[in-house]
Every structure is written in structure tokens, then in C-alpha cells.
């Protein structure tokens, strides 16, 4: 959709009617975009951890008795870490078509908006 | 310490991105030790076997890699890293952690005295033991050292998470490096604090290492306490967001 019209919306001397818009900041394009809303992450490896802790409870916290569960927990943790790394690299590279906000801000700061004439 | 704080900050990648730069500038968290090498510098190749391989035995990949290394800038090898057969990265790391005020000579001598003490104790036990027991007694101080530290590594750690105005101890999986560091740190702290005024460090350290090797002693107890706390707080595991 095209930008909505600004004709006759603000309180100015030439405008006979009541103002439609009363902006509290000047209507000038800033040299930055807003940050992406971070997704709510969730805890990983909960099941492996609870299985390991159940094994510990049965065997009085001895590590020799729970080797398999501990190994599963470590594998899950390393997989989660690898997935997190891949995801963060993915975020830095591209946002499904557009740049991530940090890179966009850098680009906009290189070519800033000029509200003044000179 | 500052480096670990910075890496901890980097780990909060999803949380309050705008605050990260402010946190880095705080006096308590400013990086004071950083590498003067840029990212293009490669790590030095210490292993002599890499260079002794005959040209014919190299694969295409390895030949390419060698040619590439000729064009790259390489960092200087630190004085502590050698191509000696006696070099052990775990022992070096432990020695560095024991070092105080840059006195590496003292730290290294303490380390060698500890290993000697461990060896002497085990040989005494060996010579006084019967034939069946002699097979079970481990005499190599390096294997004892490695096994003791491996036994001291915690499996799961606790992290303070702020939620609803209160800090909760949440169980969290630890990275390998962090676990090794904790084992060494606990060992050194235990030996420094809980020893008699007149007892020397090598003696106390050898004692603690042998006890940890047999899965008993105060460092193992500390590890178990950590596990028990994690087990008690397992309901709080959902406070994690990573």
C-alpha cells in the first residue's frame, strides 16, 4: 500500500480544520531500524537431564553407575550447542530476504538521511 | 577472568542486545588482556611429525594446505609450548593456574615435586603390597593426574538466573573446557585453603590427587554437592532460555 497522505493532518497556520495527527517527535526518517523481537528460547536437554538425575538418585550420585545417561546428556548438550551456533550464524547472514537490523543500521549510517539542506 | 566474563556476555545473544555494548564498557568487565594478533594470524604448528612427513605421502588437500600456510602470517609460539614428548597440555594448564604473580619457575617446580611425591607414594604402596594387589596399583603419576582430574569434573553446573526479582540457581549443562577448568580450580583451591600451615603444597596436592583418583576426598565431595544441588533444583531447569 502507498504511504498514507499527510495533507491537512497536522496543526499548521494554513490548515483550517482540527489536526488529525499530533506527533510528539518530528516526522523525519531516522538512520536506524528497530531491533528484531527476540524469540522466547526454551531450555534444551531437559529429558536427558531428568533421566540422568533419576539414575543418580537410584545410585547415590555415583558416576560409574550412570555412564550411559551422562554420555547421552553430553551428546544432547553438544548437539544443542552446535544448533545454537548454526542459528546465530544464520541470523547474522540473512533474515529471509532482508539484512539483519545491525547490518541495516550500519548501511543507513553510511548514507544518512539529510533533514537539513546543507 | 575478564575474558570469561566477555564470553559470558557473548552467550546472552538473545537478551537485550542494546545493553551488550554498555556492559562491555563497564570498568569491572573491560577487557584488559587481549591478543595483539589480528584475526588473519594462524596458530603455529608445533607438532614436528607434521613437517617430517615425506612429500610423496601427502594428499592433495594436505599439499594445498601446506602451500596456503606459506602465504599466511603465523603467530609466534609461546615459550611454554614445545615439541617435546614430555609436554602435556593438561599439566601446563594446571601449572599456569597454580602460578602466582608470574612465578612460573616456582609453579613448575611445585608441579614436578607433586608428580614425584605421587610416584614415591605409589611405589611404596607397590613394594609393600602382595602380588595380586600389585597388578591393580597404578604407578604412572601422569595417568593418576589425568584420571584424578577427570573424576573431579562436574557433569552439570549451576547458573544464577534473575527471575521475578530473585536469583535462582538453575542447573545447566557445561562445556568441556568449563568442566576441566572447574576440576582444576577446585583442586587448587582445596589444596591452598585446607592444609596445615607447615604442610607444603606438593605433599598436599599429591594427597588430594591420589584421593581423587580413588573417587573419594574433598574435591569429589564438592563435585557431588554440586550434583545434589542441581538435582534439588531440577524443577528450575525451565528458567533457562538456551
Amino acid at each position: 500500500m502507498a504511504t498514507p497522505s499527510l495533507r491537512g493532518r497536522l496543526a499548521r497556520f494554513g490548515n483550517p480544520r482540527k489536526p488529525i495527527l499530533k506527533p510528539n517527535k518530528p516526522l523525519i526518517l531516522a538512520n536506524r531500524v528497530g531491533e528484531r523481537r527476540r524469540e522466547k528460547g526454551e531450555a534444551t536437554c531437559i529429558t536427558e537431564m531428568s533421566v540422568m538425575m533419576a539414575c543418580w538418585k537410584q545410585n547415590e550420585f555415583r558416576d560409574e553407575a550412570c555412564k550411559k545417561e551422562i554420555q547421552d546428556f553430553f551428546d544432547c548438550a553438544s548437539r544443542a550447542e552446535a544448533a545454537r551456533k548454526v542459528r546465530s550464524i544464520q541470523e547474522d547472514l540473512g533474515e529471509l530476504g532482508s539484512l539483519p537490523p545491525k547490518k541495516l543500521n550500519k548501511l543507513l549510517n553510511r548514507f544518512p538521511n539529510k533533514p537539513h539542506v546543507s | 577472568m575478564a575474558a570469561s566474563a566477555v564470553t559470558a556476555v557473548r552467550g546472552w545473544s538473545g537478551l537485550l542486545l542494546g545493553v551488550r555494548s554498555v556492559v562491555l564498557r563497564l570498568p569491572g568487565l573491560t577487557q584488559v588482556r587481549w591478543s595483539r594478533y589480528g584475526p588473519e594470524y594462524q596458530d603455529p604448528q608445533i607438532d614436528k611429525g607434521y613437517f617430517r612427513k615425506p612429500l610423496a605421502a601427502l594428499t592433495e588437500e594436505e599439499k594445498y594446505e601446506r602451500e596456503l600456510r606459506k602465504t599466511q602470517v603465523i603467530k609466534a609460539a609461546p615459550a611454554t609450548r614445545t615439541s617435546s614428548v614430555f609436554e602435556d597440555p593438561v599439566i601446563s594448564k594446571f601449572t599456569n593456574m597454580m602460578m602466582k604473580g608470574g612465578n612460573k619457575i616456582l609453579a613448575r617446580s611445585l608441579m614436578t615435586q607433586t608428580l614425584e611425591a605421587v610416584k614415591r607414594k605409589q611405589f611404596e604402596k607397590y613394594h609393600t603390597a602382595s602380588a595380586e594387589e600389585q597388578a591393580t596399583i597404578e604407578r604412572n603419576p601422569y595417568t593418576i593426574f589425568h584420571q584424578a582430574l577427570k573424576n573431579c569434573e562436574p557433569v552439570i553446573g549451576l547458573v544464577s538466573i534473575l527471575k521475578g526479582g530473585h536469583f535462582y540457581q538453575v542447573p545447566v549443562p557445561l562445556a568441556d573446557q568449563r568442566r576441566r577448568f572447574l576440576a582444576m580450580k577446585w583442586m587448587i583451591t582445596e589444596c591452598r585453603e585446607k592444609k596445615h600451615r607447615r604442610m607444603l603444597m606438593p605433599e598436599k596436592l599429591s594427597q588430594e590427587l591420589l584421593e581423587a583418583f580413588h573417587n573419594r576426598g574433598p574435591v569429589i565431595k564438592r563435585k557431588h554437592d554440586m550434583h545434589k544441588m542441581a538435582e534439588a533444583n531440577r524443577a528450575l531447569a525451565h528458567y533457562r532460555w538456551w
Side-chain angles (χ1 to χ4, degrees):
Chain A
M1 203 184 99
T3 321
S5 149
L6 206 49
R7 184 188 295 282
R9 301 292 197 270
L10 304 174
R12 297 283 182 269
F13 281 117
N15 192 11
R17 70 179 81 83
K18 284 194 299 192
I20 313 290
L21 299 171
K22 292 183 255 192
N24 56 359
K25 291 187 276 278
L27 295 175
I28 299 175
L29 283 177
N31 294 322
R32 52 181 294 279
V33 295
E35 297 282 340
R36 194 172 56 85
R37 260 165 248 99
R38 119 188 129 104
E39 311 124 20
K40 272 182 71 74
E42 48 167 63
T44 48
C45 303
I46 300 273
T47 41
E48 275 85 357
M49 191 175 72
S50 38
V51 160
M52 187 177 67
M53 289 186 169
C55 175
W56 270 345
K57 256 212 137 74
Q58 282 172 354
N59 296 327
E60 293 127 29
F61 292 91
R62 280 179 303 131
D63 283 340
E64 314 83 63
C66 302
K67 272 199 154 54
K68 190 180 159 306
E69 283 83 359
I70 291 176
Q71 198 49 47
D72 289 340
F73 180 63
F74 286 158
D75 292 337
C76 174
S78 42
R79 265 181 282 134
E81 179 69 38
R84 235 205 329 261
K85 241 190 156 78
V86 162
R87 226 198 350 230
S88 84
I89 287 176
Q90 200 62 283
E91 274 172 18
D92 284 342
L93 273 179
E95 295 263 302
L96 243 75
S98 68
L99 287 170
K102 283 243 168 67
K103 295 197 173 166
L104 257 179
N105 287 344
K106 258 186 148 168
L107 184 64
L108 289 170
N109 270 315
R110 281 174 59 192
F111 305 105
N113 188 27
K114 265 177 60 174
H116 52 276
V117 170
S118 67
Chain B
M1 191 203 74
S4 66
V6 168
T7 47
V9 168
R10 250 188 243 129
W12 306 337
S13 59
L15 175 67
L16 293 175
L17 286 169
V19 182
R20 194 154 52 147
S21 52
V22 174
V23 167
L24 275 175
R25 268 187 248 124
L26 282 178
L29 291 175
T30 323
Q31 255 184 316
V32 288
R33 272 187 319 252
W34 44 23
S35 171
R36 297 304 195 266
Y37 291 119
E40 65 273 6
Y41 278 82
Q42 304 297 318
D43 287 317
Q45 178 65 258
I46 308 278
D47 172 34
K48 272 192 183 162
Y50 177 87
F51 296 108
R52 283 197 190 127
K53 260 179 153 175
L55 264 173
L58 297 175
T59 61
E60 283 305 314
E61 258 183 28
E62 287 183 341
K63 280 196 187 125
Y64 174 77
E65 201 203 317
R66 293 254 182 130
E67 294 295 314
L68 185 61
R69 265 183 91 85
K70 287 181 192 172
T71 60
Q72 288 169 335
V73 254
I74 303 184
K75 301 184 201 178
T80 47
R81 291 205 63 195
T82 56
S83 52
S84 156
V85 292
F86 301 111
E87 189 194 334
D88 192 348
V90 182
I91 301 262
S92 312
K93 184 62 86 180
F94 196 82
T95 324
N96 288 340
M97 284 178 70
M98 269 211 298
M99 177 168 61
K100 270 189 183 175
N103 197 348
K104 178 77 89 109
I105 302 173
L106 180 62
R108 204 175 141 157
S109 67
L110 288 175
M111 193 71 229
T112 42
Q113 284 168 34
T114 309
L115 292 169
E116 191 193 332
V118 163
K119 194 166 178 180
R120 277 185 192 275
K121 286 181 185 172
Q122 290 298 92
F123 266 85
E124 263 188 60
K125 249 181 29 186
Y126 185 83
H127 290 311
T128 54
S130 61
E132 309 88 49
E133 285 170 31
Q134 277 184 351
T136 56
I137 292 177
E138 176 62 55
R139 285 176 288 165
N140 186 351
Y142 292 94
T143 41
I144 292 180
F145 182 79
H146 288 134
Q147 190 56 43
L149 283 184
K150 218 182 295 207
N151 291 346
C152 290
E153 282 179 13
V155 166
I156 198 168
L158 292 167
V159 152
S160 299
I161 292 197
L162 179 64
K163 195 155 170 121
H166 293 279
F167 283 98
Y168 296 100
Q169 295 292 320
V170 173
V172 72
L174 298 169
D176 275 336
Q177 217 173 344
R178 176 82 186 148
R179 287 169 41 229
R180 287 194 283 265
F181 168 78
L182 278 176
M184 290 197 259
K185 183 87 183 169
W186 288 345
M187 181 66 79
I188 293 175
T189 323
E190 168 68 37
C191 291
R192 277 183 184 161
E193 291 174 2
K194 307 274 180 57
K195 79 175 160 73
H196 184 65
R197 187 178 55 90
R198 293 294 295 261
M199 192 192 269
L200 295 171
M201 181 69 153
E203 196 192 319
K204 174 74 177 172
L205 235 192
S206 55
Q207 205 178 345
E208 293 303 331
L209 282 171
L210 284 168
E211 293 207 319
F213 178 69
H214 294 293
N215 265 316
R216 43 171 201 255
V219 192
I220 299 285
K221 182 177 173 300
R222 187 161 171 181
K223 176 183 91 153
H224 284 323
D225 288 343
M226 170 88 117
H227 287 174
K228 281 175 191 156
M229 271 276 283
E231 210 269 323
N233 289 2
R234 66 182 184 277
L236 304 176
H238 291 280
Y239 286 1
R240 257 197 302 150
W241 58 85
W242 68 96

